[in-house]
Amino acid sequence: MAVLAYEGMSAFETGIVTEVFGLPRPELGVTWYDLRVCAPYPVRIVGGGVLHPAHGLDGFVAADTVIVPGVADVHRDPDPDVVAALRTAHDRGARVVSICSGAFALAAAGLLDGRRATTHWQYADLLRRRHPRVEVDPDVLYVDDGDVLTGAGSAAGLDLCVHIVRTDFGAGVANAVARRLVVQPHRDGGQAQFIEAPVTGDLSDDRIARSMDWALEHLTDSLTVERLARQARMSQRTYLRHFARCTGTSPVRWVLAQRIQASLPLLENSDASIEQIAKTVGFDTAVTYRHHFTRAMRTSPSAYRRAFRARGTK
């Protein structure tokens, strides 16, 4: 795995990548990533530091996964050498990932043409104007299009990196990494980028948090908005408004995401049927479970299970 360093970068996005993929994690019992930080020359970073990467663009091109955490200036064309490296890496079968403004480099390389992609919400209109063949979605945390993945701004890159770990090693390993990072193990890629107000200490938000905790303990119950609002001691209308402000999504969508997340370890580690798993995590039918799982994970429960079992036999 390789991450690009570039002139004028903030260390945050690159730090996310090195934190998730670069630290050794022998306690997980899997063969972890071999991360390289790459740049064609020493680069100055925000704050006055200078980074001297041990690997150049040759190391970047040779990696199985290449990550572009941003570009120096969204209003200028990306470095042509970087664009060429991205094309070469993709042509040889590498998985290509961008975080925040890094989507501009992928778009310049033509890797987003005809694809759905995202970037930081404040750059979305510019990306759409400069690259009209890209289907820009400014309202999501990340987009997984198989061999090309794009993430929104800054902290959403962390969600994307944990998602990649989940794709490569399964939910158990991803959850362990998330616990080490003290972050949520799974935020749906389709969750809104912009949350109107973060969870705070006022009474309304505490009630929302308590209702969410209660829901996690009762995933197999019928979790209607009415029941959740009752737990929060709010009217349904007030609950919907406060829930959206606190989480950036709706109660129904959040509950679906939690049920799907709860099903992943069962798919990975048990021989329970899809029907049994669906019931265990609170879906009325296996058909409903398959529908929502496929929408969220871009694969079926059975295909996810086969892929995880295949990884486990390597």
Side-chain angles (χ1 to χ4, degrees), residues 93-158:
R95 176 172 55 184
V96 182
V97 180
S98 69
I99 299 173
C100 197
S101 63
F104 285 82
L106 272 59
L111 304 185
L112 301 183
D113 288 354
R115 295 180 187 257
R116 178 170 163 261
T118 194
T119 186
H120 193 290
W121 58 267
Q122 69 176 339
Y123 301 141
D125 286 342
L126 178 61
L127 181 63
R128 189 181 292 113
R129 290 196 303 270
R130 292 188 63 184
H131 300 281
R133 297 184 64 186
V134 180
E135 183 186 342
V136 180
D137 187 345
D139 298 322
V140 297
L141 296 178
Y142 57 83
V143 173
D144 182 345
D145 199 29
D147 58 336
V148 177
L149 299 89
T150 51
S154 300
L158 189 55

Side-chain angles (χ1 to χ4, degrees), residues 189-209:
Q191 185 168 322
Q193 282 193 40
F194 182 68
I195 297 176
E196 189 174 336
V199 176
T200 62
D202 69 43
L203 181 60
S204 296
D205 288 334
D206 282 348
R207 288 180 175 182
I208 294 294

